């Protein structure tokens, strides 16, 4: 694709990008291309009609509402129909015999629906120009580097790049570097932590439960940030600049700071398009707390059609509300290292809500954390075998390596060291791909 892209005349690159992205998306299940094309057409036409109705504010507002409702209806039908009907069936006895349809979830639908809505909302707000080129808009919605699992790219952030981006050798090389780092995060760290968690999640004593919880926390971070890095790197190879999606979240000293560093594109989307329109923090503390709970209930539901995700969202709604009320002031009096440790503990416990869809399994695991039960020889040896990889992953989850690398800035041999290091990572990733079984990204299912 890169070869075709750079051989293609500049004016045809968006068309090539659209064609390749649609081929990529349709590879697994071609029928969902119709859904993708409908979403592109709906929001492209919606943007044009909203722009033409500028002089009639009520008409423009109704058009925006219609496009948002249709987008959410698509997302709701494919993602939440089974969840809603299943919940009704469980809560209402007369509906016990109701047959709940199994509706397959199109890959990446949560991401590209949110991107599409950001376009029509930005056009309505006049935060971005209307896109009159359907090819350019289609390339934006379907762009394959970040199509499946983000980052969520707001239209206003790439509007100019769609028509006037410039590819350079420096940008391409930087993209290769970022891509290889993301690949290493996924194959060398996330997958290994995932294997450890798989072995420790359902059996073992207290130590294995704590180690397993840490392993899953590291797995989901490196899995998702690795995908985001690969998407950002591929985008840069094509001349696009996508915003950073992770900023070392596990060094956060409050839950508020954690969500400024984790999945930044999603947090920003909900802040700009839900939290602020609801009133944000402008209508008093009580309304701000209510707005936080609404946003976090929706954030939980966005991640999945299951009650554990709703609970996970409300869990963070409670934490963030407590920090707004009094907890943040109390945390500021503690040493930074202790604050980081407490936040990491709260986040790791939150990931258990995120992982376990069955409440029985969740409470069984939480019970193991505080049962003080001993380990058998197998789990002890397993933990010892994975300790070096876990230590490396914990180190890589902090900016310490980046700080050490930047201390070499300007010194002889830095460029050679970078090439050799990234080359070694790439070779190790190639070996891992050859030996590992199929292991998709965690966020594919969202």
């Amino acid at each position: 694709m890169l070869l075709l892209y750079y051989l293609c005349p500049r004016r045809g690159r968006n068309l090539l990008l659209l064609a390749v992205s649609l081929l990529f998306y349709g590879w697994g299940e071609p029928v969902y291309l119709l859904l993708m094309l409908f979403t592109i057409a709906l929001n492209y036409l919606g943007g044009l009609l909203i722009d033409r109705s500028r002089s009639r504010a009520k008409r423009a507002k109704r058009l925006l509402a219609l496009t948002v409702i249709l987008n959410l209806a698509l997302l709701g039908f494919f993602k939440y129909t089974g969840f809603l009907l299943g919940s009704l069936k469980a809560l209402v006895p007369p509906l016990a015999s109701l047959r709940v349809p199994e509706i397959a979830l199109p890959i990446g639908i949560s991401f590209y629906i949110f991107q599409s809505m950001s376009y029509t909302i930005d056009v309505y707000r006049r935060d971005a120009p209307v896109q009159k080129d359907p090819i350019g808009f289609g390339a934006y919605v379907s762009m394959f580097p970040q199509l499946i699992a983000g980052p969520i790219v707001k239209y206003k952030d790439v509007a100019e790049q769609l028509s006037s981006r410039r590819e350079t050798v420096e940008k391409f090389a930087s993209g290769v570097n970022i891509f290889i780092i993301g690949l290493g995060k996924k194959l060398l760290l996330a997958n290994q932590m995932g294997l450890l968690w798989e072995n420790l999640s359902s059996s073992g004593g207290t130590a294995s439960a704590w180690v397993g919880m840490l392993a899953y926390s590291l797995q989901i971070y490196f899995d998702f940030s690795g995908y985001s890095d690969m998407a950002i790197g591929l985008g840069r190879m094509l001349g696009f600049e996508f915003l950073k999606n992770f900023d070392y979240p596990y060094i956060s000293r409050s839950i508020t700071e954690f969500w400024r560093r984790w999945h930044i594109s999603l947090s920003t989307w909900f802040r700009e398009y839900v939290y602020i329109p609801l009133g944000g923090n402008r209508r008093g503390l009580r309304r701000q707390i209510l707005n936080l709970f609404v946003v976090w209930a929706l954030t939980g539901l966005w991640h999945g059609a299951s009650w554990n995700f709703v609970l996970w969202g409300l869990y963070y709604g409670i934490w963030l509300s407590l920090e707004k009320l009094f907890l943040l002031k109390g945390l500021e009096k503690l040493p930074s290292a202790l604050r980081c440790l407490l936040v990491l503990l709260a986040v790791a416990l939150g990931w258990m809500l995120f992982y376990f869809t069955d409440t029985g399994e969740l409470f069984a695991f939480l019970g193991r954390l505080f049962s003080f039960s001993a380990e058998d020889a197998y789990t002890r040896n397993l933990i010892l075998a994975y300790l070096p990889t876990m230590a490396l992953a914990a180190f890589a989850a902090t900016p310490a390596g980046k700080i050490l690398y930047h201390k070499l800035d300007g010194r002889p041999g830095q460029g050679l060291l970078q090439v050799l290091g990234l080359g070694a990572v790439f070779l190790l990733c190639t070996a891992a791909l050859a030996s590992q079984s199929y292991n998709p990204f965690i966020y594919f299912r969202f």
Side-chain angles (χ1 to χ4, degrees):
M1 186 272 162
L2 286 170
L3 179 62
L4 290 173
Y5 184 82
Y6 280 98
L7 289 175
C8 182
R10 191 172 297 279
R11 64 181 177 275
R13 288 180 179 175
N14 279 349
L15 177 59
L16 175 65
L17 185 57
L18 173 61
V20 170
S21 296
L22 293 176
L23 175 66
F24 172 80
Y25 192 74
W27 192 267
E29 186 56 78
V31 69
Y32 289 123
L33 275 177
L34 298 175
L35 181 63
M36 168 74 74
L37 292 170
F38 177 78
T39 303
I40 292 170
L42 167 67
N43 290 279
Y44 172 73
L45 293 173
L48 288 177
L49 292 172
I50 290 168
D51 185 62
R52 290 173 185 173
S53 304
R54 295 243 182 243
S55 58
R56 301 169 65 183
K58 288 185 178 179
R59 177 180 169 83
K61 195 170 187 177
R62 284 196 292 267
L63 285 167
L64 174 65
L66 179 61
T67 58
V68 169
I69 288 169
L70 288 173
N71 277 300
L72 292 177
L74 285 174
L75 183 61
F77 174 77
F78 284 98
K79 193 165 185 175
Y80 302 108
T81 299
F83 170 65
L84 292 173
L85 291 178
S87 299
L88 281 173
K89 182 178 177 180
L91 294 171
V92 183
L95 299 177
S97 60
L98 179 69
R99 180 180 174 273
V100 179
E102 292 186 10
I103 301 173
L105 181 66
I107 290 177
I109 188 172
S110 299
F111 288 91
Y112 71 73
I113 289 287
F114 269 34
Q115 287 196 182
S116 300
M117 286 198 296
S118 82
Y119 166 71
T120 52
I121 296 170
D122 287 347
V123 169
Y124 173 78
R125 292 176 173 178
R126 302 192 183 193
D127 288 341
V130 68
Q131 175 59 265
K132 296 181 179 179
D133 175 18
I135 301 301
F137 181 71
Y140 158 70
V141 175
S142 65
M143 200 178 301
F144 77 90
Q146 45 73 231
L147 172 64
I148 303 300
I152 300 170
V153 178
K154 299 191 296 295
Y155 178 75
K156 61 186 177 183
D157 292 334
V158 295
E160 186 178 343
Q161 297 177 50
L162 286 167
S163 57
S164 59
R165 64 187 176 277
R166 287 291 178 266
E167 302 85 0
T168 65
V169 173
E170 291 78 13
K171 189 182 286 188
F172 188 95
S174 172
V176 172
N177 291 349
I178 296 170
F179 179 86
I180 292 176
I181 289 170
L183 190 67
K185 283 181 176 181
K186 166 61 177 169
L187 293 172
L188 306 181
L189 297 177
N191 284 4
Q192 296 303 309
M193 292 298 96
L195 288 171
L196 179 59
W197 166 243
E198 189 177 307
N199 280 281
L200 299 180
S201 59
S202 58
S203 62
T206 299
S208 62
W210 283 96
V211 172
M213 186 168 68
L214 178 59
Y216 183 72
S217 300
L218 291 169
Q219 179 198 5
I220 196 168
Y221 168 64
F222 286 114
D223 191 284
F224 193 19
S225 70
Y227 183 97
S228 294
D229 286 347
M230 283 189 270
I232 291 167
L234 281 170
R236 197 168 286 187
M237 291 181 218
L238 300 172
F240 289 93
E241 289 287 348
F242 301 147
L243 298 179
K244 181 166 58 175
N245 207 24
F246 288 85
D247 186 19
Y248 299 104
Y250 288 155
I251 65 167
S252 301
R253 291 169 292 179
S254 68
I255 298 297
T256 302
E257 183 184 353
F258 175 81
W259 280 105
R260 290 182 186 140
R261 292 173 175 272
W262 179 279
H263 203 347
I264 298 168
S265 63
L266 181 67
S267 302
T268 303
W269 198 99
F270 272 106
R271 184 174 66 248
E272 290 191 16
Y273 301 118
V274 181
Y275 180 69
I276 292 175
L278 285 174
N281 58 0
R282 303 187 305 276
R283 299 184 183 179
L285 185 59
R286 288 185 180 179
R287 182 57 184 269
Q288 183 184 10
I289 298 301
L290 176 62
N291 293 341
L292 281 172
F293 273 94
V294 170
V295 166
W296 281 98
L298 292 174
T299 301
L301 270 177
W302 179 89
H303 280 85
S306 176
W307 285 111
N308 70 298
F309 291 115
V310 178
L311 291 173
W312 177 76
L314 292 176
Y315 172 82
Y316 278 108
I318 292 169
W319 273 114
L320 292 165
S321 298
L322 290 174
E323 288 192 347
K324 297 292 182 188
L325 291 169
F326 63 88
L327 192 57
L328 200 56
K329 291 181 180 179
L331 284 172
E332 288 172 353
K333 297 176 183 179
L334 300 175
S336 291
L338 181 57
R339 289 171 64 186
C340 287
L341 188 62
L342 291 173
V343 170
L344 184 60
L345 175 61
V347 169
L349 288 169
W351 288 135
M352 298 302 95
L353 276 174
F354 190 89
Y355 178 82
F356 288 105
T357 57
D358 183 275
T359 53
E361 292 179 0
L362 170 65
F363 286 117
F365 180 84
L366 294 178
R368 284 173 55 203
L369 291 174
F370 305 102
S371 65
F372 303 103
S373 54
E375 303 294 336
D376 57 32
Y378 171 76
T379 51
R380 281 199 304 272
N381 291 334
L382 185 69
I383 291 169
L384 288 173
Y386 274 94
L387 271 182
T389 306
M390 181 171 277
L392 176 61
F395 177 80
T398 73
K402 185 178 180 180
I403 292 169
L404 289 172
Y405 176 76
H406 282 305
K407 286 186 176 182
L408 298 174
D409 284 350
R411 295 190 180 184
Q414 184 187 20
L416 178 62
L417 179 64
Q418 179 179 345
V419 170
L420 291 175
L422 290 172
V425 170
F426 188 74
L427 287 173
L428 288 170
C429 288
T430 305
L433 278 171
S435 62
Q436 290 177 6
S437 60
Y438 178 61
N439 193 350
F441 288 90
I442 292 173
Y443 264 68
F444 273 14
R445 59 192 169 118
F446 306 134

